[in-house]
Coordinates of all heavy atoms in Angstrom, one line a residue:
I1 N 0.9 -1.1 0.0 CA 0.0 0.0 0.0 C 0.9 1.2 0.0 O 1.7 1.4 0.9 CB -0.9 0.0 1.2 CG1 -1.9 -1.2 1.1 CG2 -1.8 1.3 1.2 CD1 -2.7 -1.4 2.4
L2 N 0.6 2.1 -0.9 CA 1.5 3.3 -1.2 C 0.6 4.4 -0.6 O -0.5 4.7 -1.1 CB 1.7 3.4 -2.6 CG 2.6 4.6 -3.1 CD1 3.9 4.5 -2.5 CD2 2.6 4.6 -4.6
K3 N 1.2 5.2 0.2 CA 0.5 6.3 0.8 C 1.2 7.6 0.2 O 2.3 8.0 0.5 CB 0.6 6.5 2.3 CG -0.1 5.4 3.0 CD -1.6 5.4 2.8 CE -2.3 6.6 3.4 NZ -3.7 6.8 3.1
I4 N 0.4 8.4 -0.7 CA 0.9 9.5 -1.3 C -0.2 10.6 -1.4 O -1.3 10.3 -1.6 CB 1.4 9.3 -2.7 CG1 2.6 8.3 -2.7 CG2 1.8 10.5 -3.5 CD1 3.0 7.8 -4.1
P5 N 0.0 11.8 -0.8 CA -1.0 12.7 -0.7 C -1.8 13.2 -2.0 O -2.9 13.4 -2.0 CB -0.4 14.0 -0.1 CG 1.1 13.8 -0.2 CD 1.4 12.4 -0.5
S6 N -1.0 13.3 -3.1 CA -1.8 13.8 -4.3 C -1.4 12.8 -5.5 O -0.4 12.2 -5.5 CB -1.3 15.2 -4.7 OG 0.0 15.3 -5.0
V7 N -2.3 12.8 -6.5 CA -2.3 11.8 -7.5 C -2.5 12.4 -8.9 O -3.3 13.2 -9.1 CB -3.4 10.7 -7.3 CG1 -3.4 9.7 -8.4 CG2 -3.1 10.0 -6.0
I8 N -1.6 12.0 -9.8 CA -1.7 12.4 -11.2 C -1.5 11.2 -12.0 O -0.6 10.4 -11.8 CB -0.6 13.5 -11.6 CG1 -0.8 14.7 -10.8 CG2 -0.7 13.8 -13.1 CD1 0.3 15.7 -11.0
A9 N -2.4 11.0 -13.0 CA -2.3 9.7 -13.8 C -2.7 10.0 -15.3 O -3.6 10.9 -15.5 CB -3.2 8.6 -13.3
S10 N -2.2 9.3 -16.2 CA -2.6 9.4 -17.6 C -3.0 8.0 -18.1 O -2.3 7.1 -17.8 CB -1.5 9.9 -18.4 OG -1.1 11.2 -18.0
L11 N -4.1 7.9 -18.8 CA -4.5 6.7 -19.4 C -4.9 7.0 -20.8 O -5.7 7.9 -21.3 CB -5.7 6.1 -18.6 CG -6.3 4.8 -19.1 CD1 -5.3 3.8 -18.9 CD2 -7.5 4.6 -18.3
F12 N -4.4 6.3 -21.8 CA -4.5 6.5 -23.2 C -5.5 5.5 -23.8 O -5.0 4.3 -24.3 CB -3.2 6.5 -23.9 CG -2.3 7.5 -23.5 CD1 -1.2 7.3 -22.6 CD2 -2.4 8.9 -23.8 CE1 -0.4 8.3 -22.2 CE2 -1.6 9.9 -23.3 CZ -0.6 9.6 -22.5
V13 N -6.8 5.8 -23.7 CA -7.7 4.8 -24.2 C -9.1 5.6 -24.2 O -9.3 6.5 -23.5 CB -7.8 3.5 -23.3 CG1 -8.5 3.8 -21.9 CG2 -8.7 2.4 -24.0
K14 N -9.9 5.0 -25.1 CA -11.3 5.6 -25.2 C -12.3 4.5 -25.3 O -12.0 3.5 -25.7 CB -11.4 6.4 -26.4 CG -10.6 7.7 -26.5 CD -10.7 8.5 -27.8 CE -9.8 9.7 -27.7 NZ -10.0 10.6 -28.9
N15 N -13.5 4.7 -24.8 CA -14.6 3.9 -24.8 C -14.5 2.5 -24.3 O -15.0 1.5 -24.8 CB -15.1 3.8 -26.4 CG -15.4 5.1 -26.9 OD1 -15.9 6.0 -26.3 ND2 -15.0 5.4 -28.2
A16 N -13.8 2.4 -23.1 CA -13.6 1.1 -22.5 C -14.9 0.7 -21.8 O -15.7 1.7 -21.3 CB -12.5 1.1 -21.5
D17 N -15.3 -0.5 -21.8 CA -16.6 -1.0 -21.0 C -16.1 -1.0 -19.5 O -15.2 -1.8 -19.2 CB -16.9 -2.3 -21.5 CG -18.0 -2.9 -20.7 OD1 -18.6 -2.1 -19.9 OD2 -18.4 -4.1 -20.8
V18 N -16.7 -0.2 -18.7 CA -16.1 -0.1 -17.3 C -17.0 -0.9 -16.3 O -16.6 -0.9 -15.1 CB -16.1 1.5 -16.8 CG1 -15.2 2.2 -17.8 CG2 -17.5 2.0 -16.9
G19 N -18.0 -1.6 -16.7 CA -18.9 -2.3 -15.7 C -18.1 -3.2 -14.8 O -18.2 -3.2 -13.6
M20 N -17.3 -4.1 -15.4 CA -16.6 -5.1 -14.6 C -15.5 -4.5 -13.8 O -15.4 -4.8 -12.7 CB -16.1 -6.3 -15.4 CG -15.4 -7.3 -14.6 SD -14.6 -8.7 -15.7 CE -16.2 -9.5 -16.0
N21 N -14.8 -3.5 -14.4 CA -13.8 -2.8 -13.7 C -14.4 -2.1 -12.4 O -13.7 -2.0 -11.4 CB -13.1 -1.8 -14.7 CG -12.0 -2.5 -15.6 OD1 -11.3 -3.3 -15.0 ND2 -12.0 -2.0 -16.8
H22 N -15.5 -1.5 -12.6 CA -16.1 -0.7 -11.6 C -16.5 -1.7 -10.5 O -16.2 -1.3 -9.2 CB -17.4 0.1 -12.0 CG -17.7 1.1 -11.1 ND1 -18.6 0.9 -10.2 CD2 -17.3 2.4 -10.9 CE1 -18.8 2.0 -9.4 NE2 -18.0 2.9 -9.8
R23 N -17.0 -2.9 -10.7 CA -17.3 -3.8 -9.7 C -16.0 -4.3 -8.9 O -16.0 -4.3 -7.7 CB -18.0 -5.0 -10.3 CG -19.6 -4.6 -10.7 CD -20.3 -5.8 -11.0 NE -19.8 -6.5 -12.2 CZ -20.1 -6.2 -13.4 NH1 -20.9 -5.2 -13.7 NH2 -19.6 -6.9 -14.5
I24 N -15.0 -4.5 -9.7 CA -13.7 -4.9 -9.1 C -13.2 -3.7 -8.2 O -12.7 -4.0 -7.1 CB -12.7 -5.2 -10.1 CG1 -13.1 -6.5 -10.8 CG2 -11.3 -5.4 -9.6 CD1 -12.3 -7.0 -12.1
A25 N -13.2 -2.5 -8.7 CA -12.8 -1.4 -7.9 C -13.5 -1.2 -6.6 O -13.0 -1.0 -5.6 CB -12.8 -0.1 -8.8
K26 N -14.8 -1.4 -6.7 CA -15.6 -1.3 -5.5 C -15.2 -2.4 -4.4 O -15.2 -2.1 -3.2 CB -17.1 -1.4 -5.7 CG -17.6 -0.1 -6.4 CD -19.1 -0.3 -6.8 CE -20.0 -0.2 -5.6 NZ -21.4 -0.1 -6.0
R27 N -15.0 -3.6 -4.8 CA -14.5 -4.7 -4.0 C -13.2 -4.4 -3.4 O -12.9 -4.6 -2.2 CB -14.5 -6.0 -4.8 CG -15.6 -6.8 -4.7 CD -15.5 -8.3 -5.1 NE -14.5 -8.6 -6.1 CZ -14.8 -8.7 -7.4 NH1 -16.0 -8.7 -7.8 NH2 -13.8 -9.0 -8.2
L28 N -12.2 -3.9 -4.3 CA -10.9 -3.6 -3.8 C -10.9 -2.5 -2.7 O -10.2 -2.4 -1.8 CB -9.9 -3.3 -4.9 CG -9.6 -4.5 -5.8 CD1 -8.9 -4.0 -7.0 CD2 -8.7 -5.4 -5.0
H29 N -11.9 -1.5 -3.0 CA -11.9 -0.3 -2.1 C -12.4 -0.8 -0.7 O -11.9 -0.3 0.3 CB -12.8 0.8 -2.7 CG -12.8 2.0 -1.9 ND1 -13.7 2.3 -1.0 CD2 -12.0 3.0 -1.8 CE1 -13.5 3.5 -0.4 NE2 -12.4 3.9 -1.0
K30 N -13.3 -1.7 -0.7 CA -13.8 -2.2 0.6 C -12.7 -3.0 1.3 O -12.5 -2.9 2.6 CB -14.9 -3.2 0.5 CG -16.2 -2.5 0.2 CD -17.3 -3.5 0.0 CE -18.6 -2.7 -0.3 NZ -19.7 -3.7 -0.4
K31 N -11.8 -3.7 0.6 CA -10.7 -4.4 1.2 C -9.5 -3.5 1.6 O -8.9 -3.8 2.5 CB -10.2 -5.4 0.2 CG -9.2 -6.5 0.7 CD -9.0 -7.6 0.0 CE -8.1 -8.6 0.6 NZ -7.9 -9.8 -0.1
Y32 N -9.3 -2.4 0.8 CA -8.1 -1.5 1.0 C -8.5 -0.1 1.2 O -8.1 0.7 0.3 CB -7.1 -1.8 0.0 CG -6.6 -3.2 -0.2 CD1 -7.0 -3.9 -1.3 CD2 -5.7 -3.7 0.7 CE1 -6.6 -5.3 -1.4 CE2 -5.3 -5.0 0.6 CZ -5.7 -5.8 -0.5 OH -5.3 -7.0 -0.6
P33 N -9.4 0.2 2.0 CA -10.0 1.7 2.0 C -8.9 2.8 2.2 O -9.1 3.9 2.0 CB -11.0 1.6 3.2 CG -10.5 0.5 4.1 CD -9.9 -0.6 3.1
Q34 N -7.8 2.4 2.8 CA -6.8 3.4 3.1 C -5.7 3.6 2.0 O -4.9 4.5 2.0 CB -6.0 3.0 4.4 CG -5.0 1.8 4.2 CD -5.7 0.4 4.2 OE1 -6.9 0.3 4.1 NE2 -4.9 -0.6 4.1
A35 N -5.8 2.9 0.9 CA -4.9 3.0 -0.2 C -5.2 4.3 -0.9 O -6.3 4.7 -1.1 CB -5.0 1.8 -1.1
D36 N -4.0 4.9 -1.5 CA -4.1 6.0 -2.3 C -4.2 5.6 -3.8 O -4.9 6.2 -4.5 CB -2.9 6.8 -2.2 CG -2.8 7.6 -0.9 OD1 -3.8 8.2 -0.4 OD2 -1.7 7.6 -0.3
V37 N -3.6 4.4 -4.2 CA -3.6 3.9 -5.5 C -3.8 2.4 -5.5 O -3.1 1.7 -4.7 CB -2.4 4.3 -6.3 CG1 -2.5 3.7 -7.7 CG2 -2.3 5.8 -6.4
I38 N -4.7 1.9 -6.4 CA -4.8 0.4 -6.4 C -4.7 0.2 -8.0 O -5.5 0.6 -8.7 CB -6.2 -0.1 -5.9 CG1 -6.2 0.1 -4.5 CG2 -6.3 -1.6 -6.3 CD1 -7.5 -0.2 -3.7
I39 N -3.7 -0.6 -8.3 CA -3.5 -1.1 -9.8 C -4.0 -2.5 -9.8 O -3.6 -3.3 -9.0 CB -2.0 -0.8 -10.1 CG1 -1.6 0.6 -9.9 CG2 -1.8 -1.3 -11.6 CD1 -0.1 0.7 -10.0
F40 N -4.8 -2.8 -10.8 CA -5.3 -4.1 -11.0 C -5.5 -4.4 -12.5 O -5.3 -3.6 -13.3 CB -6.7 -4.3 -10.3 CG -7.8 -3.4 -10.9 CD1 -8.8 -4.0 -11.7 CD2 -7.9 -2.1 -10.4 CE1 -9.8 -3.2 -12.2 CE2 -9.0 -1.4 -11.0 CZ -9.9 -1.8 -11.9
G41 N -5.8 -5.7 -12.8 CA -5.9 -6.1 -14.2 C -7.1 -7.1 -14.3 O -8.1 -7.0 -13.7
H42 N -6.9 -8.2 -15.1 CA -7.8 -9.2 -15.3 C -8.8 -9.0 -16.4 O -9.1 -9.9 -17.2 CB -8.3 -9.8 -14.1 CG -9.3 -10.9 -14.3 ND1 -8.8 -12.2 -14.7 CD2 -10.7 -11.0 -14.1 CE1 -9.8 -13.0 -14.8 NE2 -10.9 -12.4 -14.5
T43 N -9.4 -7.8 -16.5 CA -10.4 -7.6 -17.4 C -9.9 -7.3 -18.8 O -10.8 -7.3 -19.7 CB -11.3 -6.4 -17.0 OG1 -10.5 -5.2 -17.0 CG2 -11.9 -6.6 -15.5
H44 N -8.7 -6.9 -19.0 CA -8.2 -6.5 -20.3 C -8.8 -5.2 -20.9 O -8.8 -5.0 -22.0 CB -8.2 -7.6 -21.3 CG -7.4 -8.8 -20.8 ND1 -6.1 -8.9 -21.0 CD2 -7.9 -10.0 -20.2 CE1 -5.7 -10.0 -20.5 NE2 -6.8 -10.7 -20.1
Q45 N -9.5 -4.5 -19.9 CA -10.2 -3.3 -20.4 C -9.7 -2.1 -19.5 O -9.7 -2.1 -18.3 CB -11.7 -3.4 -20.2 CG -12.2 -4.4 -21.0 CD -13.7 -4.7 -20.7 OE1 -14.3 -4.0 -19.9 NE2 -14.3 -5.7 -21.4
A46 N -9.1 -1.1 -20.2 CA -8.5 0.1 -19.5 C -9.5 0.7 -18.6 O -10.8 0.8 -19.0 CB -8.0 1.0 -20.5
F47 N -9.1 1.3 -17.4 CA -10.0 1.9 -16.5 C -9.2 2.8 -15.6 O -8.0 2.5 -15.2 CB -10.6 0.8 -15.6 CG -11.6 1.3 -14.5 CD1 -12.9 1.6 -14.8 CD2 -11.2 1.3 -13.2 CE1 -13.8 2.0 -13.8 CE2 -12.1 1.8 -12.3 CZ -13.4 2.0 -12.6
Q48 N -9.7 4.0 -15.3 CA -9.1 4.9 -14.4 C -10.3 5.6 -13.7 O -11.0 6.4 -14.5 CB -8.2 6.0 -15.1 CG -7.6 7.0 -14.3 CD -6.8 8.0 -15.1 OE1 -6.0 7.6 -15.9 NE2 -7.0 9.2 -14.8
K49 N -10.4 5.6 -12.5 CA -11.4 6.3 -11.8 C -10.9 6.6 -10.3 O -10.3 5.7 -9.6 CB -12.6 5.5 -11.8 CG -13.8 6.2 -11.0 CD -15.1 5.5 -11.2 CE -16.2 6.4 -10.6 NZ -17.3 6.5 -11.4
T50 N -11.2 7.7 -9.8 CA -11.0 8.0 -8.4 C -12.3 7.8 -7.6 O -13.3 8.4 -7.9 CB -10.4 9.4 -8.2 OG1 -9.2 9.5 -9.0 CG2 -10.2 9.7 -6.7
I51 N -12.2 7.0 -6.5 CA -13.3 6.7 -5.6 C -12.9 7.0 -4.2 O -11.9 6.4 -3.7 CB -13.8 5.2 -5.8 CG1 -14.2 4.9 -7.2 CG2 -15.0 5.0 -4.8 CD1 -14.5 3.5 -7.4
S52 N -13.5 7.9 -3.5 CA -13.2 8.3 -2.2 C -11.7 8.5 -2.0 O -11.0 8.0 -1.1 CB -13.7 7.3 -1.3 OG -15.0 7.1 -1.3
N53 N -11.1 9.4 -2.9 CA -9.6 9.7 -2.8 C -8.7 8.5 -3.1 O -7.5 8.7 -2.8 CB -9.3 10.3 -1.5 CG -10.0 11.7 -1.2 OD1 -10.2 12.4 -2.2 ND2 -10.4 11.8 0.0
T54 N -9.2 7.5 -3.7 CA -8.3 6.3 -4.1 C -8.3 6.2 -5.6 O -9.5 6.2 -6.1 CB -8.7 5.0 -3.4 OG1 -8.7 5.1 -2.0 CG2 -7.9 3.8 -3.9
L55 N -7.2 6.3 -6.2 CA -7.1 6.1 -7.7 C -7.2 4.6 -8.0 O -6.3 3.9 -7.5 CB -5.9 6.8 -8.2 CG -5.6 6.5 -9.8 CD1 -6.8 7.1 -10.6 CD2 -4.3 7.0 -10.2
F56 N -8.1 4.1 -8.9 CA -8.2 2.8 -9.4 C -7.7 2.8 -10.8 O -8.2 3.7 -11.6 CB -9.6 2.2 -9.3 CG -9.9 2.1 -7.8 CD1 -10.5 3.1 -7.1 CD2 -9.7 0.9 -7.1 CE1 -10.9 3.0 -5.7 CE2 -10.1 0.7 -5.8 CZ -10.6 1.8 -5.1
F57 N -6.7 1.9 -11.1 CA -6.1 2.0 -12.5 C -5.8 0.6 -13.0 O -5.3 -0.2 -12.4 CB -4.8 2.7 -12.3 CG -3.9 3.0 -13.5 CD1 -4.3 4.0 -14.3 CD2 -3.0 2.2 -13.8 CE1 -3.7 4.3 -15.5 CE2 -2.2 2.6 -15.0 CZ -2.6 3.6 -15.8
N58 N -6.5 0.4 -14.2 CA -6.3 -0.8 -14.9 C -5.8 -0.4 -16.3 O -6.4 0.3 -17.0 CB -7.6 -1.6 -15.0 CG -7.4 -2.9 -15.9 OD1 -6.4 -3.1 -16.5 ND2 -8.4 -3.8 -15.7
P59 N -4.5 -0.8 -16.7 CA -4.0 -0.3 -17.9 C -4.6 -0.9 -19.1 O -4.3 -0.5 -20.3 CB -2.5 -0.7 -17.9 CG -2.4 -1.7 -16.9 CD -3.5 -1.5 -15.9
G60 N -5.3 -2.0 -19.0 CA -6.0 -2.6 -20.1 C -5.1 -3.7 -20.7 O -4.6 -4.5 -20.0
A61 N -5.0 -3.8 -22.0 CA -4.2 -4.9 -22.7 C -3.4 -4.3 -23.8 O -3.9 -3.3 -24.5 CB -5.2 -5.9 -23.2
V62 N -2.2 -4.7 -24.0 CA -1.3 -4.2 -25.0 C -1.6 -4.8 -26.4 O -1.0 -4.3 -27.4 CB 0.2 -4.4 -24.7 CG1 0.5 -3.6 -23.4 CG2 0.5 -5.9 -24.5
V63 N -2.5 -5.8 -26.4 CA -3.0 -6.4 -27.7 C -4.5 -6.2 -27.8 O -5.1 -6.1 -26.7 CB -2.4 -7.8 -27.9 CG1 -0.9 -7.9 -27.9 CG2 -3.0 -8.7 -26.8
S64 N -5.0 -6.3 -29.0 CA -6.4 -6.3 -29.2 C -7.1 -7.5 -28.5 O -6.7 -8.6 -28.7 CB -6.9 -6.2 -30.6 OG -6.4 -5.0 -31.2
T65 N -8.2 -7.3 -27.7 CA -8.9 -8.4 -27.0 C -10.3 -8.0 -27.0 O -10.7 -6.9 -26.9 CB -8.4 -8.6 -25.6 OG1 -8.5 -7.5 -24.9 CG2 -6.9 -9.1 -25.6
Y66 N -11.2 -9.0 -27.1 CA -12.6 -8.8 -27.0 C -13.1 -7.6 -27.8 O -13.9 -6.7 -27.2 CB -13.0 -8.6 -25.5 CG -12.5 -9.7 -24.6 CD1 -11.5 -9.4 -23.7 CD2 -13.0 -11.0 -24.8 CE1 -10.9 -10.4 -22.9 CE2 -12.4 -12.0 -23.9 CZ -11.4 -11.7 -23.0 OH -10.9 -12.7 -22.2
R67 N -12.6 -7.5 -29.1 CA -13.0 -6.4 -29.9 C -12.6 -5.0 -29.4 O -13.2 -4.0 -29.7 CB -14.5 -6.4 -30.2 CG -14.9 -7.7 -30.9 CD -16.4 -7.7 -31.2 NE -16.9 -9.0 -31.3 CZ -18.2 -9.3 -30.9 NH1 -18.9 -8.4 -30.5 NH2 -18.5 -10.6 -31.2
K68 N -11.7 -4.9 -28.5 CA -11.2 -3.6 -27.9 C -9.8 -3.4 -28.6 O -9.0 -4.3 -28.8 CB -11.1 -3.7 -26.5 CG -12.3 -4.0 -25.8 CD -13.3 -2.9 -25.8 CE -14.6 -3.3 -25.0 NZ -15.6 -2.2 -25.1
K69 N -9.5 -2.1 -28.7 CA -8.3 -1.7 -29.2 C -7.2 -1.7 -28.1 O -7.6 -1.7 -26.9 CB -8.3 -0.2 -29.7 CG -9.1 -0.1 -31.0 CD -9.1 1.3 -31.5 CE -9.8 1.5 -32.8 NZ -9.7 2.9 -33.3
P70 N -6.0 -2.1 -28.5 CA -5.0 -2.1 -27.4 C -4.9 -0.8 -26.6 O -5.2 0.3 -27.2 CB -3.6 -2.3 -28.2 CG -4.0 -2.7 -29.5 CD -5.4 -2.2 -29.8
S71 N -4.4 -0.8 -25.4 CA -4.2 0.4 -24.6 C -3.0 0.3 -23.8 O -2.4 -0.8 -23.6 CB -5.4 0.5 -23.6 OG -5.5 -0.6 -22.8
V72 N -2.5 1.5 -23.4 CA -1.3 1.6 -22.6 C -1.5 2.5 -21.5 O -2.2 3.7 -21.6 CB -0.1 2.2 -23.4 CG1 1.2 2.3 -22.6 CG2 0.2 1.3 -24.6
G73 N -1.2 2.2 -20.3 CA -1.4 3.1 -19.2 C -0.1 3.5 -18.6 O 0.8 2.7 -18.5
F74 N 0.0 4.7 -18.1 CA 1.2 5.2 -17.5 C 0.9 5.9 -16.1 O -0.1 6.7 -16.0 CB 1.9 6.3 -18.3 CG 2.4 6.0 -19.6 CD1 1.6 6.1 -20.8 CD2 3.7 5.4 -19.7 CE1 2.2 5.6 -22.0 CE2 4.1 5.0 -21.0 CZ 3.4 5.1 -22.1
L75 N 1.6 5.5 -15.1 CA 1.5 6.1 -13.8 C 3.0 6.7 -13.6 O 3.9 6.0 -13.7 CB 1.1 5.2 -12.7 CG -0.2 4.8 -12.6 CD1 -0.3 3.7 -11.6 CD2 -1.2 5.8 -12.4
K76 N 3.0 8.0 -13.3 CA 4.4 8.6 -13.1 C 4.6 8.9 -11.6 O 3.6 9.4 -11.0 CB 4.5 9.9 -13.8 CG 4.5 9.8 -15.3 CD 4.8 11.1 -16.1 CE 4.8 10.8 -17.5 NZ 5.0 12.1 -18.4
F77 N 5.6 8.4 -11.0 CA 5.8 8.5 -9.5 C 6.9 9.6 -9.3 O 8.0 9.5 -10.0 CB 6.3 7.1 -9.0 CG 5.3 6.1 -9.0 CD1 5.0 5.4 -10.3 CD2 4.5 5.8 -7.9 CE1 4.1 4.4 -10.3 CE2 3.6 4.8 -7.9 CZ 3.3 4.1 -9.1
W78 N 6.6 10.5 -8.5 CA 7.5 11.5 -7.9 C 7.6 11.3 -6.4 O 6.9 10.4 -5.8 CB 7.1 12.9 -8.2 CG 7.2 13.2 -9.6 CD1 8.3 13.7 -10.3 CD2 6.2 13.1 -10.6 NE1 7.9 13.9 -11.6 CE2 6.7 13.5 -11.8 CE3 4.8 12.8 -10.6 CZ2 6.0 13.6 -13.0 CZ3 4.1 12.9 -11.7 CH2 4.6 13.3 -12.9
D79 N 8.4 12.0 -5.7 CA 8.6 11.9 -4.3 C 7.3 12.1 -3.5 O 6.9 11.5 -2.5 CB 9.5 12.8 -3.7 CG 11.0 12.4 -4.1 OD1 11.3 11.3 -4.4 OD2 11.9 13.4 -4.1
D80 N 6.5 13.0 -4.0 CA 5.3 13.3 -3.2 C 3.9 13.1 -4.0 O 2.9 13.5 -3.6 CB 5.3 14.8 -2.8 CG 5.3 15.8 -3.9 OD1 5.7 15.4 -5.1 OD2 5.1 16.9 -3.8
K81 N 4.0 12.6 -5.1 CA 2.8 12.3 -5.9 C 3.0 11.3 -7.0 O 4.1 10.8 -7.3 CB 2.3 13.7 -6.6 CG 3.3 14.2 -7.6 CD 2.8 15.6 -8.1 CE 3.9 16.1 -8.9 NZ 3.5 17.6 -9.2
I82 N 1.9 10.8 -7.6 CA 1.8 9.9 -8.7 C 1.2 10.6 -9.9 O 0.3 11.3 -9.8 CB 0.9 8.7 -8.3 CG1 1.5 8.0 -7.2 CG2 0.8 7.8 -9.6 CD1 0.7 6.8 -6.7

C-alpha cells in the first residue's frame, strides 16, 4: 500500500467498458480503504477512476482483445505524488 497525498495519472484509451472494472474497484476499495492507488488487471479493459480519494487504475491490454483496441497506461511517480 502506497501512501501519497496527491495523485496524477494518464490513461490513453477511449470507450472502455467499465462495468466489470467498476465492480472490481468497489470490491478492492472495501478491502483496502486506506490505499491511495490500487492497480489491477484481469479484465483487459482500461479503467481509471478515483473513488473516495483512491485512484483505481487498470492499464488494459497491449494487444487487441474482446473487440477492444490495445491500450497503454502510465503512472508517473515522484517523491510526493503519482
